[in-house]
């Protein structure tokens, strides 16, 4: 059998008490098989139902008993008919015995695989465990469960149980449920079985692992605490983003009767010279180039390999720090987990001692990591302790990558404390906001937390897989509306919003909405202010021609500041949001434009346009919280004009009142009101 091939038997309770949740079970189980068809198409799946009115299984014929258990699908390689069967589960009429279903499922796996495929045989039980278990012929129920668990270990089987509870009906017997929970706990204690209790359809979608990924180490070696102290560790990924399956190019050119056609599309690239378009440039005549200012610097592969940083593989402790010094928002990538080398008792004790000491002292460790030979970069990260509350699971450490200085992005958001007192939130507004937050609490006291990460599937992926299955049956199928269960993940709870209308209304009334006076005007309004309204232009005034020129230019994205309408070009660049660098580019381009206008000015003929540009730059820097950029530029510009004796522009600057941006206009400014007022007040030169 293939190394990663899994054999799975689904044990599904379809008794009367499960009828309300069977539609959700149909969705999650069919999704499991759909994913196997995509990712692990050689896996094998079988389906056993219990709580049915009929009985259909081999054990009943061989030894008797095991009533109301039906083998819906024998174990076989996943196919579309299994998906269809799971989408139309029958509704049972009697109470089911989950122990009978477990034994029937084990019997199917033993007959199919015998002693082979250990560790790859899995049972998945979905029930509410509200029905009584029959008394055994010999011994107690606990002894019977212990015997079954030992046989699971002998045959290399694993089991996971998903117990649906939610809102219990009046017929539910608390004593029976407690007894069944105790029996399921024996499976967890005696074997590596996992039991999960869920209360709603969303949790059910995430509780059943529809895709099992075999863990693989990203590092195996020593964790070096000092030159004389090393711990043997294994590093695995704890969390990683699940991405869409790779969509491949498909060709329909092959004949439909050709059974051996791969329908594969091969893509080849050719490089041609601009001087000789018909000539293909071979690989040995091509070289990469990197832009450096106006020129392109060619760098060969040999030079690139030589300049690459080649650190040695290993994990080295740099030191410890208080956990409060490493903030959650500084975590950059996926989470890894450090565990001691399997079977190494000394390493297990050492790692556990380290984790417990860090927890006791509230410390975290800073590590330098190079996961493999030839890795081009060094990773700096933080280790946090993860203490286990189970005896059979050792302590471990979680690892998160930390940013370097170049990775940090500073967002200039002013604090409420910087605002004047009249526009700071009052007690009534704070209370309304607190009530709104409390109303939308996902973990209310006494209730299960909603949208737990471990039990919340990605709605985008779930929707894609469901549509893919639909498309496989009907090529022209339209995209169906969003499923109600997935809506509960992506949208607020309607029932909760209806119950708390008063809280939402009070929050709305507490905050008065006003038009922002600084809001950027549209380019059309700017043109009307500059050249007059359309009615004035219709009288034959000359500025209408310039307006038409601007109108034509507005249809394209502006990526530089021209000579005709520099202010409008600057505002258009500021308005672009396809790249966060446009703001910086616009500011730098406007600075250069202002310098060019002043330097090229003849007897001050460009001063008025330069002042318009400077005023637009000042306004833009206030809106984008970049006061330092403008203040530094204005100081440099003033010094430049003094050195070049451009007193005409300095006088115009003073008359227009364009000065530094003070703290009252931009919270991030370091300039006070007095400094801004006195900036342009200069002593007159002596004659």
């Amino acid at each position: 059998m293939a190394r990663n091939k899994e054999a799975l038997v689904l044990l599904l309770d379809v008794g009367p008490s499960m009828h309300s949740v069977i539609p959700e079970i149909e969705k999650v189980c069919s999704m499991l098989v759909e994913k196997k068809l995509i990712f692990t198409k050689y896996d094998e799946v079988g389906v056993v139902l219990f709580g049915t009115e009929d009985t259909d299984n081999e054990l009943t014929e061989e030894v008797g008993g095991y009533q109301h258990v039906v083998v819906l699908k024998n174990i076989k390689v996943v196919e579309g008919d299994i998906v269809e069967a799971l989408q139309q589960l029958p509704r049972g009429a009697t109470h089911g015995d989950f122990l009978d279903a477990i034994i029937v499922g084990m019997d199917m796996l033993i007959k199919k695989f015998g002693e082979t495929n250990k560790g790859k045989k899995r049972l998945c039980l979905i029930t509410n465990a509200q029905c009584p278990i029959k008394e055994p012929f010999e011994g107690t129920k606990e002894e019977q469960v212990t015997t079954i668990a030992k046989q699971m270990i002998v045959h290399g089987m694993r089991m996971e149980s998903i117990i649906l509870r939610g809102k219990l009906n009046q017929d539910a017997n608390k004593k029976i449920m407690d007894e069944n929970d105790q029996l399921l706990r024996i499976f967890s204690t005696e074997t590596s079985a996992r039991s999960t209790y869920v209360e709603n359809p969303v949790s059910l979608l995430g509780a059943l692992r529809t895709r099992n990924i075999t863990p693989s180490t990203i590092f195996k070696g020593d964790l070096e605490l000092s030159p004389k102290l090393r711990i043997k560790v294994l590093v695995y990924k704890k969390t990683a983003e699940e991405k869409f399956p790779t969509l491949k190019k498909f060709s329909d050119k092959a004949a439909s009767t050709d059974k051996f056609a791969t329908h594969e599309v091969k893509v080849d690239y050719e490089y041609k010279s601009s001087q000789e378009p018909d000539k293909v440039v071979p690989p040995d005549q091509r070289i990469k180039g990197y832009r450096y200012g106006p020129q392109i610097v060619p760098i060969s592969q040999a030079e690139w390999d030589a300049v690459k940083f080649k650190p040695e593989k290993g994990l080295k402790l740099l030191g410890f720090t208080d956990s409060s010094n490493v903030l959650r928002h500084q975590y950059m990538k996926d989470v890894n987990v450090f565990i001691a080398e399997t079977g190494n008792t000394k390493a297990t004790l050492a790692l556990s001692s380290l984790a417990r000491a860090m927890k006791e002292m509230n410390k975290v460790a800073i590590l330098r990591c190079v996961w493999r030979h030839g890795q081009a970069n060094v990773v700096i990260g933080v280790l946090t302790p993860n203490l286990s509350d189970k005896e059979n699971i050792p302590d471990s450490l979680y690892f998160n990558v930390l940013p370097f200085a170049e990775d940090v992005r500073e967002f200039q958001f002013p604090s409420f404390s910087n605002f004047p007192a009249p526009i700071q939130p009052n007690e009534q507004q704070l209370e309304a906001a607190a009530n709104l937050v409390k109303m939308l609490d996902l973990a209310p006291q006494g209730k299960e937390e909603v949208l737990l990460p471990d039990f919340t599937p990605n709605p985008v992926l779930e929707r894609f897989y469901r549509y893919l299955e639909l498309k496989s049956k009907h090529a022209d199928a339209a995209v169906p509306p969003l499923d109600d269960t997935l809506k509960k993940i992506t949208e607020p709870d309607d029932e909760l919003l209806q119950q708390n209308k008063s809280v939402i209304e009070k929050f709305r009334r507490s905050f008065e909405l006003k038009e922002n006076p600084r809001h950027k005007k549209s380019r059309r309004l700017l043109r009307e202010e500059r050249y007059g309204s359309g009615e004035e232009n219709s009288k034959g005034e000359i500025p209408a021609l310039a307006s038409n020129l601007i109108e034509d230019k507005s249809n394209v994205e502006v990526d530089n500041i021209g000579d005709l309408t520099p202010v409008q070009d600057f505002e258009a660049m500021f308005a672009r949001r396809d790249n966060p660098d446009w703001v910086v580019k616009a500011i730098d381009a406007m600075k250069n434009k202002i310098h060019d206008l002043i330097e090229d000015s003849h007897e001050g003929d460009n001063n008025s346009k330069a002042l318009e540009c400077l005023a637009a730059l000042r306004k833009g820097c206030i809106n984008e919280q970049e006061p330092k950029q403008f203040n530094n530029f204005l100081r440099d510009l003033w010094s430049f004009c003094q050195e070049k004796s451009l007193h005409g522009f300095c006088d115009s600057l003073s008359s227009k009142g364009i000065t530094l941006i003070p703290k009252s206009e931009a919270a991030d400014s370091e300039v006070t009101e007095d400094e801004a007022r006195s900036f342009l007040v200069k002593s007159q030169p002596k004659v």
Side-chain angles (χ1 to χ4, degrees), residues 311-422:
E312 294 181 1
K313 175 186 174 181
L315 307 177
K316 290 188 178 181
L317 174 70
L318 301 181
F320 296 94
T321 184
D322 288 335
S323 59
S324 59
N325 294 334
V326 181
L327 304 179
R328 177 65 185 84
H329 68 265
Q330 292 173 330
Y331 295 171
M332 285 188 62
K333 293 187 177 180
D334 304 332
V335 184
N336 297 331
V337 60
F338 282 51
I339 63 173
E341 185 181 53
T342 307
N344 191 329
T345 307
K346 292 183 178 180
T348 304
L349 290 173
L351 192 72
S352 177
S353 301
L354 177 65
R356 290 177 181 274
M358 289 166 61
K359 184 71 174 179
E360 184 178 344
M361 300 173 68
N362 200 25
K363 298 283 186 180
V364 294
I366 306 299
L367 250 62
R368 164 205 181 273
C369 303
V370 180
W371 306 116
R372 60 188 181 277
H373 291 294
Q375 183 175 312
N377 64 322
V378 174
V379 173
I380 301 296
V382 58
L383 275 181
T384 53
N386 174 43
L387 306 187
S388 173
D389 55 357
K390 296 182 179 179
E391 293 183 2
N392 58 343
I393 299 178
D395 299 328
S396 58
L397 298 164
Y398 287 145
F399 177 83
N400 285 277
V401 177
L402 294 177
F404 291 104
E406 295 83 356
D407 305 323
V408 176
R409 299 290 181 267
E410 293 293 343
F411 297 102
Q412 304 297 331
F413 298 133
S415 170
F416 279 130
S417 59
N418 295 329
F419 292 153

Side-chain angles (χ1 to χ4, degrees), residues 624-642:
E624 295 294 335
Q625 290 295 321
E626 296 284 354
K628 192 173 181 180
Q629 289 257 27
F630 179 81
N631 292 341
N632 291 342
F633 172 69
L634 188 59
R635 292 188 182 103
D636 295 340
L637 187 65
W638 180 269
S639 301
F640 172 78
C641 292
Q642 294 293 329

Side-chain angles (χ1 to χ4, degrees), residues 533-548:
S533 66
E535 294 177 0
E536 294 173 348
N537 291 339
S538 65
K539 297 177 182 179
E541 295 183 2
I542 294 174
L545 177 60
S547 178
N548 290 336

